[in-house]
Amino acid sequence: VFGLSSVAQVILGEGNNGQYLSINIAFGIGVTLGIYAAGGVSGAHLNAAITITQYILGNISVASLAAYIIGQFLGSFFAAATVYALYYEAIYNYTNGSLTVTGPTATAMIFSTYPAPYVSLQGAFFTEFMATVMLILGILVIHDEKNNAAVKGAQPILTGMLVLCIGLGMGLNTGYAINPSRDLPPRIFTAIAGWGMDVFRADRSWWWIPVTAPALGSLAGVFLYKICIDWHNHPAHETEQGKEQGGTETS
């Protein structure tokens, strides 16, 4: 709700009630609050790409996988519906009643991401892939207890700042979906609410990229973290225990 409403305010206010930075900040705060809300319940599974990765790694069951993704999709769908209701009059005033995906009064991008006109499908895929690699690397750095993890109470804030940073540096090409649950359910909502199937056909049927690229990027990021950090990480207390055990065996 925070993220989509910030986009709505920027677009419908024609730049007079917010800018790109305000969208980045709103999404970062939304992620922070989401983690504070759900962290103790589920570990705050807000991103289907990361949830799928956790399942592939064997960290959650198939039942949890289904429950988390259904929860994510319902939350995102109803967030889009909430923002649509909130800005219903503003949307119809801005568009003169014509809901379009492209053109001077396009409003579909309030709810889902669309690539810049100059970006190829390959470039869009690579952007979403790499942005999600950076997302999962940052999350692992923040939460890895075997490494130099952040204190528990600060982890949601730092994760929100991570999302903010990705938006500030990697949002130009595609709008940084980096999460199938953030992009697909609102796109389905817009198809139902009046924008039609153009939301799936626009930009050479780009819609599948924010679904698949983040999932693959999350897996690649975890693999990269394990190769570069996790497999080489020996916490100090484990090293000391090994030395003590070695000394005992020598004696």
Side-chain angles (χ1 to χ4, degrees):
V1 169
F2 288 139
L4 299 186
S5 61
S6 70
V7 180
Q9 185 160 286
V10 169
I11 291 175
L12 301 177
E14 300 183 62
N16 296 317
N17 299 92
Q19 312 231 339
Y20 181 67
L21 177 60
S22 62
I23 296 173
N24 300 149
I25 294 172
F27 270 106
I29 292 173
V31 168
T32 297
L33 295 176
I35 296 172
Y36 274 124
V41 178
S42 68
H45 280 256
L46 309 179
N47 187 327
I50 296 176
T51 300
I52 291 169
T53 299
Q54 291 296 306
Y55 172 71
I56 292 173
L57 294 175
N59 296 331
I60 61 173
S61 66
V62 66
S64 294
L65 171 71
Y68 293 159
I69 290 181
I70 289 171
Q72 292 162 13
F73 273 54
L74 287 176
S76 190
F77 184 90
F78 285 116
T82 299
V83 172
Y84 177 74
L86 182 69
Y87 281 113
Y88 177 83
E89 293 170 324
I91 289 172
Y92 275 83
N93 177 68
Y94 180 78
T95 63
N96 292 318
S98 177
L99 303 180
T100 59
V101 178
T102 59
T105 59
T107 46
M109 73 285 292
I110 290 173
F111 302 94
S112 295
T113 61
Y114 292 85
Y118 57 82
V119 179
S120 66
L121 286 180
Q122 297 92 327
F125 189 97
F126 183 68
T127 298
E128 287 294 320
F129 178 87
M130 284 306 305
T132 312
V133 167
M134 299 309 297
L135 173 68
I136 192 66
L137 285 175
I139 289 173
L140 290 170
V141 167
I142 292 167
H143 292 82
D144 189 355
E145 297 294 339
K146 293 193 302 179
N147 199 11
N148 191 24
V151 295
K152 193 173 181 64
Q155 289 174 354
I157 296 174
L158 291 172
T159 306
M161 290 177 64
L162 170 64
V163 172
L164 167 62
C165 186
I166 290 172
L168 291 174
M170 296 181 153
L172 178 63
N173 287 344
T174 61
Y176 74 109
I178 60 175
N179 180 358
S181 302
R182 172 263 178 274
D183 197 81
L184 183 57
R187 195 178 301 274
I188 294 171
F189 172 80
T190 52
I192 297 170
W195 282 265
M197 295 305 293
D198 279 348
V199 299
F200 292 101
R201 290 190 291 259
D203 297 300
R204 294 153 292 169
S205 300
W206 127 278
W207 70 270
W208 62 272
I209 291 178
V211 176
T212 57
L216 295 174
S218 179
L219 285 169
V222 169
F223 183 65
L224 184 62
Y225 187 85
K226 285 185 176 295
I227 290 176
C228 296
I229 297 177
D230 191 50
W231 292 346
H232 310 284
N233 191 20
H234 302 286
H237 70 276
E238 290 183 7
T239 304
E240 291 173 1
Q241 289 176 358
K243 288 180 179 178
E244 290 175 0
Q245 184 177 358
T248 302
E249 290 174 356
T250 301
S251 300

